[in-house]
Amino acid sequence: GTFYGNYSECMKFNGEISSLQDDSFGPQGPDMKYTVDPDMKWREVFTSWALVLGGEGVGEGNRQVWDKVAIAINQAKTEGRESGTNPHPGLDYLEMIPVAGQQSPLTQDHLKEVEKYLQLSSSCLLHPLASLLTQLVEAYTASYGGVRSHPTLLPHAIQELSSISCRLYTLVRTLFPALPPPDSSLWVSTTGTDGITVTPTSLLHPLLLPPLHPTLFMLYALREAKPDSIYWERILRWNKHPDKALLMFLDVDTKLYHPEEEHQHRDRDKYFLNAINTLQQIKTTFTPQNKLAVVLAMFKAITSASSSITWSMDTLLPVCMYVVVRARVLQLGAELAMLQDLMETYLFQGEQGIMLTTLLAAYHQMLRESVFIN
């Protein structure tokens, strides 16, 4: 059609409007048409593992892989001794073939031993696994970190993290054949608790996420910048008020505090201090399991503050909002978005799933509340 008039004042349109037929409905995923398949990236890095340790089969070749690991560590230790480098404190432990994880079934003690070995090997630069992890972290950071950070890259970064985890787990399983197959989980019974669910992600996230967290979290912070700015405006304004005004504004049950008491202007942070301090620790954790443990501990601290009240959702949500305000956690929206995307489905079940949903509800309710407290 034809447009008439001035854009800054008034415009008229003469023509025809038609809608394009689109068979897809709802939000669309990232367009991967012009991108490289994540499974095709960094093949040379993974090939270096095969060059050092040989085949990737699980079973008969397991003993040969362990022998080559010992040889590689011994050679690196000899070179380090000649160059005058101090040996890693856990080097003697890494040279031995662990009994844990070699044969089924996988017990709780064996699982702890496997996790201990993976943590030590990833921190010892002489171990082939540490060399592989270092190269992968450098490649990932070079792709998505620094000046290259943009929220558009976030879906690609998540897919690449998943691809790296899957391929890395295949290599780890050559060392510990008793671990569950890829794309599956294993239930390990424990004494006195409900048991542990072992998955490839639960084993590799503690190794991958701490060094990758700054790069990945920056992408989430950029994507959630707008709601987090609204959230932070309320945090700054609401924290200027004393506890009594804030608790009344959030409609916290009066049984949990004393509204009749006279409060000074600067009376703040007098209630639920344990829960506030607990929530602040979410910034010090990197894996979804650890972040969920912080969320669950926060709510347990809230409910243990008073036994004279029945804790329903109507009672718990205002208190949760108060704790969030006083905790002053930076970029909480990005933290929760990252937690939701990276946590596995089974983690949503039970009490921790309900508590995470409550914290999400508190965050989104804060965005809708008035920024001013009358």
Side-chain angles (χ1 to χ4, degrees), residues 2 13 46 56 75 77 82 116 134 141 148 175 239 255 257 264 300 304 322 365-366 368:
T2 307
F13 169 72
F46 286 97
E56 300 180 2
Q75 289 178 347
K77 186 167 66 171
E82 293 175 352
K116 177 184 176 182
T134 301
T141 304
R148 303 167 188 82
L175 301 176
N239 271 299
K255 295 179 182 178
Y257 67 103
Q264 300 297 324
K300 287 184 177 179
S304 64
Y322 170 81
Q365 181 61 32
M366 287 175 61
R368 296 180 175 88

Side-chain angles (χ1 to χ4, degrees), residues 120-321:
L120 278 175
S121 62
S122 63
S123 63
C124 177
L125 297 179
L126 303 181
H127 197 284
L129 181 60
S131 176
L132 177 63
L133 280 171
T134 301
Q135 295 180 66
L136 290 173
V137 169
E138 290 177 353
Y140 192 93
T141 304
S143 299
Y144 301 104
V147 296
R148 303 167 188 82
S149 294
H150 192 277
T152 308
L153 298 174
L154 181 56
H156 307 280
I158 295 175
Q159 290 192 10
E160 189 164 329
L161 176 62
S162 176
S163 173
I164 290 175
S165 299
C166 291
R167 288 182 285 174
L168 186 60
Y169 182 75
T170 302
L171 302 182
V172 170
R173 198 164 174 264
T174 62
L175 301 176
F176 302 102
L179 294 176
D183 301 324
S184 64
S185 61
L186 179 67
W187 178 261
V188 177
S189 59
T190 59
T191 56
T193 60
D194 297 333
I196 303 173
T197 301
V198 182
T199 64
T201 301
S202 67
L203 287 170
L204 293 184
H205 269 178
L207 306 181
L208 287 171
L209 287 184
L212 294 180
H213 185 271
T215 300
L216 193 58
F217 182 75
M218 178 56 68
L219 297 174
Y220 278 98
L222 291 172
R223 192 189 72 178
E224 303 296 325
K226 185 175 180 179
D228 269 339
S229 65
I230 300 174
Y231 153 80
W232 193 244
E233 181 186 9
R234 281 150 178 75
I235 292 294
L236 294 178
R237 284 188 175 272
W238 293 354
N239 271 299
K240 295 178 181 179
H241 295 271
D243 279 339
K244 179 180 178 181
L246 182 59
L247 290 167
M248 293 179 64
F249 172 73
L250 296 176
D251 199 22
V252 175
D253 196 311
T254 54
K255 295 179 182 178
L256 298 172
Y257 67 103
H258 306 288
E260 69 279 357
E261 290 183 358
E262 289 293 333
H263 282 250
Q264 300 297 324
H265 177 67
R266 294 187 177 274
D267 280 350
R268 303 188 187 97
D269 303 315
K270 294 252 182 110
Y271 300 94
F272 306 103
L273 290 181
N274 191 16
I276 292 170
N277 295 332
T278 302
L279 181 59
Q280 290 171 342
Q281 297 173 13
I282 197 170
K283 279 289 186 181
T284 65
T285 58
F286 303 107
T287 64
Q289 291 92 333
N290 292 339
K291 289 183 183 294
L292 277 176
V294 170
V295 174
L296 187 58
M298 179 198 73
F299 279 100
K300 287 184 177 179
I302 290 175
T303 54
S304 64
S306 175
S307 58
S308 61
I309 189 173
T310 302
W311 287 98
S312 63
M313 191 57 65
D314 291 336
T315 308
L316 191 58
L317 185 60
V319 178
C320 180
M321 293 173 64

